[in-house]
Amino acid sequence: MRAGHTVRVVMTPEATRLIAPATFEALTGNPVTVDVFDEPVRGQIAHIRLAQESDLVLIAPATAHTLARLALGLADDMLTTLALATRAPILIAPAMNPAMWTHPATQAHVQTLQARGVEFIDPTYGIMACGDEGWGKIADTPVIVQAVQNRLNRSETLNGVRILITAGPTYEPIDPVRFVGNRSSGKMGYAVAHAARERGAQVVLVSGPSALHPPAGVQVIKVQTAQQMYEAVSEQFDACDVFIATAAVADYRPECMLPYKRKRRASKWTLKLVPNPDILGTMAQRRTHQLLVGFAAETDKVLENAQYKLRTKDLDLLALNDVLEPGSGFEVDTNRLTLLYADGRVQPLPQMSKLECARHLMDAIESLLQRSEGSSES
Ligand code: C5P
């Protein structure tokens, strides 16, 4: 409220056993809603009105039970009904016993919600009401307020910016049933598409084979091979402002695809591979005004190799991850990125969810776009 926001409080029936709604009514100057059938303004359905009028929904503190209900999409009280009906961003500050917070069920619900774009203000380490010590204490109030401010300020900052993204692996056919591929799941690229879209960018996602659902509002072009990915990117490139190559493109493909499934024989078999086009490298040569962002999945001499890639491919930004590090790289939901800029800056980020990594990447892209705008104006 001190930052100038209008605050409306919704309480679960359980919360009213700890604090009386009248307290929040006095503090906010607005009625508190607890029951779905409460209608503070006659003739207006309260949960729909609140859902549509809110710029942001903050759930603080959120219990393990509420996280589970939100993940399942239940609408059994005013809070969960509002969360389902709103299209505003949702921020959650969990607070619970450490054993409950780290329980696989709770963590699975957190991941489900994150995948839908819900953001978490993680609990901190401390002593709980029950006397246990660990991770589960609600984040400090200034941290929560700052997260709300950041989220409100972030929206639509990439409005009108056209972002082309590649994601996932490519499959290079050997015969009609076999292929040469890699372990990329597409999670990082889809998270990048999500993070770009939530800031209002127009996103085209060229995706290799992936089981993931693309984020809402993103144009998706599905491909199988590196050659198809190259052609799709080539067609879209001139119309984009930023190209982010997240895909793990197969560097080689079998020279020719056998028309029939190859039969097993006792003798050795040598597969002849030919190089695939370097999509990012080729686009770098074709760029007019585009900002180019690459990814480097490395296993050895990680920084050295990444710096070499940044220079030789003439990129503005490169996100490096060591795929041999636990919790980083292929298939997992987390990553630890180091951002390398063309001007030599190196920005190591801590391990976090792929969506959070993608949001940091967007911050970096935004700052580079602002710089290039500034330099073209001066
Ligand atoms: O595979 P590598 O680590 O060299 O990939 C570096 C960057 O180049 C990544 O952003 C990847 O998407 C891109 N790339 C590409 N076409 C290729 C190989 C890699 O666009 N054939």
Side-chain angles (χ1 to χ4, degrees), residues 297-310:
E298 300 292 344
T299 56
D300 59 302
K301 291 197 231 144
V302 289
L303 202 59
E304 214 176 304
N305 285 338
Q307 258 149 357
Y308 178 77
K309 232 166 250 182
L310 180 79

Side-chain angles (χ1 to χ4, degrees), residues 166 226 243-251 276-281 293-298 309 313 315 318:
T166 62
F243 175 43
I244 312 174
T246 322
V249 185
D251 288 323
N276 269 327
D278 178 352
I279 304 171
L280 184 56
V293 183
F295 269 74
E298 300 292 344
K309 232 166 250 182
K313 295 206 190 201
L315 307 177
L318 187 118

Side-chain angles (χ1 to χ4, degrees), residues 95-115:
M96 65 195 77
N97 173 278
M100 293 169 81
W101 172 243
T102 51
H103 194 285
T106 307
Q107 288 303 309
H109 295 320
V110 169
Q111 280 179 17
T112 302
L113 290 164
Q114 278 177 331

Side-chain angles (χ1 to χ4, degrees), residues 162 237-241 283-292:
R162 296 159 302 177
F237 184 74
D238 293 339
C240 82
D241 304 308
M283 295 309 130
Q285 286 166 12
R286 248 177 67 181
R287 76 188 326 171
T288 49
H289 66 291
Q290 287 87 353
L291 195 84
L292 293 194

Side-chain angles (χ1 to χ4, degrees), residues 326-329 332-336 351-354 357:
S328 189
V332 293
D333 290 309
T334 52
N335 214 349
R336 195 176 69 78
Q351 191 187 98
M352 54 184 98
S353 72
K354 285 188 172 166
C357 288

